[in-house]
Amino acid sequence: MALLTASDVTVDLSILRSINLSLQTVVWAVVILAVGLLLIKLFLRLVDRALARSQLASGTAKFIRGGIKALLLTLLVLTEASQLGIPITSFVALLSVVGVAVSLAVQDGLKNIAGALLIHTARPFVLGDFVEIGDISGTVEEVGPLATRLLTIDNRRITYPNGLLTNSVIINYSSMDNRRLDIVFSIGYKDDFERAKAIIREIADRHPLALDDPEPLIRVDKLAAHSVDILCRIWTRKEDLFTFKWDLIESVKKAFDEAGISIPYNQLDVHLDPK
């Protein structure tokens, strides 16, 4: 086995030789570091006040503040390197190489971070909104740098990657103050559909959760195989939607029973030929 001699080893000490570690330089570096950290702290306070006045969502404000803080700390590090005589070009080149290596290793993470930035910019929802994403629906609990957390109606916490979320169709049920309830009531062909419409309208008019504007729409929508389908479109407040829906169904069923109006179901009529 060949021995490794000193002549076979070449060490580039140009960067190390350029570093100035004199007492005066070190003192100035410490002063710049202290003053820089103080200025960053004061500037971040101003940013916090500006973000508070902007009425941005808390998740968006945290994301913007974190980005500004990271940028300021990076500039402070570069300033310190320059003060100590470290070539900034070499330092930046090293950071670029490291950045490329890290980006290749965490591509999915970067997609999620970019997705978080898009969510905070486009604001398809804010914290507390009830949304539907694909087959998942729930209340938005947190929009993090990598994922968004939803809390379902049955109290399950779901973590949704931001990169996947931004490429999905998002239905926001909380963005508007009023919601329209679309529901169909079916009656038999032998029943009086005008009487059925009047009953539904009377129930809607006296219900405290139904809105008068826009005016409710109650019309025969379809002559189905076994029923006459009456379409109802009634507006209510978004927070009252499910309560109003359940109240309406129960009240209409009770009123139809009292009026002798049948609610048909699938059945098979068999006629026997006496021959």
Side-chain angles (χ1 to χ4, degrees):
M1 178 182 296
L3 296 177
L4 184 65
T5 62
S7 60
D8 297 323
V9 180
T10 302
V11 180
D12 186 4
L13 298 178
S14 60
I15 296 178
L16 295 178
R17 292 195 187 104
S18 65
I19 299 177
N20 187 356
L21 294 180
S22 65
L23 179 60
Q24 182 180 1
T25 303
V26 173
V27 171
W28 274 111
V30 172
V31 172
I32 292 174
L33 178 62
V35 174
L37 291 176
L38 178 61
L39 292 176
I40 289 175
K41 184 176 181 180
L42 295 176
F43 185 78
L44 288 177
R45 288 182 180 177
L46 296 177
V47 171
D48 290 337
R49 294 176 183 175
L51 292 175
R53 290 194 298 267
S54 66
Q55 297 182 347
L56 291 174
S58 60
T60 304
K62 289 180 181 179
F63 191 86
I64 295 175
R65 187 186 190 278
I68 294 175
K69 182 179 180 180
L71 177 60
L72 293 176
L73 290 176
T74 301
L75 293 176
L76 179 59
V77 170
L78 293 177
T79 303
E80 284 290 294
S82 177
Q83 174 63 27
L84 293 174
I86 301 176
I88 296 180
T89 54
S90 302
F91 194 70
V92 172
L94 178 61
L95 289 179
S96 301
V97 173
V98 174
V100 171
V102 172
S103 64
L104 291 176
V106 293
Q107 282 185 342
D108 291 339
L110 292 177
K111 290 180 181 178
N112 291 330
I113 293 175
L117 181 60
L118 181 60
I119 292 172
H120 289 306
T121 303
R123 299 187 68 182
F125 50 75
V126 296
L127 298 183
D129 282 354
F130 188 84
V131 299
E132 179 179 328
I133 308 169
D135 297 332
I136 300 174
S137 59
T139 302
V140 180
E141 273 194 327
E142 179 185 1
V143 181
L146 298 178
T148 296
R149 290 195 310 178
L150 302 179
L151 185 65
T152 63
I153 296 178
D154 55 350
N155 208 31
R156 292 180 298 156
R157 180 170 285 111
I158 297 177
T159 302
Y160 213 103
N162 290 330
L164 182 60
L165 187 149
T166 53
N167 291 321
S168 303
V169 176
I170 303 173
I171 302 176
N172 190 336
Y173 291 101
S174 303
S175 58
M176 307 302 291
D177 292 334
N178 297 337
R179 290 279 307 279
R180 190 183 71 188
L181 174 64
D182 292 2
I183 190 170
V184 174
F185 293 103
S186 300
I187 64 174
Y189 271 95
K190 296 182 179 180
D191 296 308
D192 185 351
F193 70 86
E194 292 289 355
R195 174 60 177 156
K197 287 168 53 179
I199 291 175
I200 298 172
R201 182 58 185 262
E202 181 181 357
I203 293 174
D205 287 343
R206 70 169 183 259
H207 200 289
L209 299 182
L211 299 179
D212 297 329
D213 187 21
E215 185 179 358
L217 172 67
I218 303 173
R219 297 295 300 271
V220 174
D221 181 60
K222 184 189 299 183
L223 300 178
H226 304 284
S227 63
V228 176
D229 295 340
I230 301 175
L231 173 65
C232 303
R233 291 178 174 174
I234 308 173
W235 290 82
T236 185
R237 301 285 295 178
K238 62 182 180 183
E239 62 269 17
D240 298 328
L241 180 67
F242 291 106
T243 301
F244 176 57
K245 175 183 177 181
W246 297 326
D247 286 352
L248 185 64
I249 292 175
E250 292 177 358
S251 299
V252 169
K253 174 63 170 69
K254 183 178 179 181
F256 278 6
D257 289 344
E258 293 175 352
I261 297 176
S262 63
I263 299 178
Y265 52 88
N266 291 337
Q267 58 185 347
L268 177 64
D269 293 333
V270 179
H271 300 274
L272 298 178
D273 190 347
K275 297 180 179 180

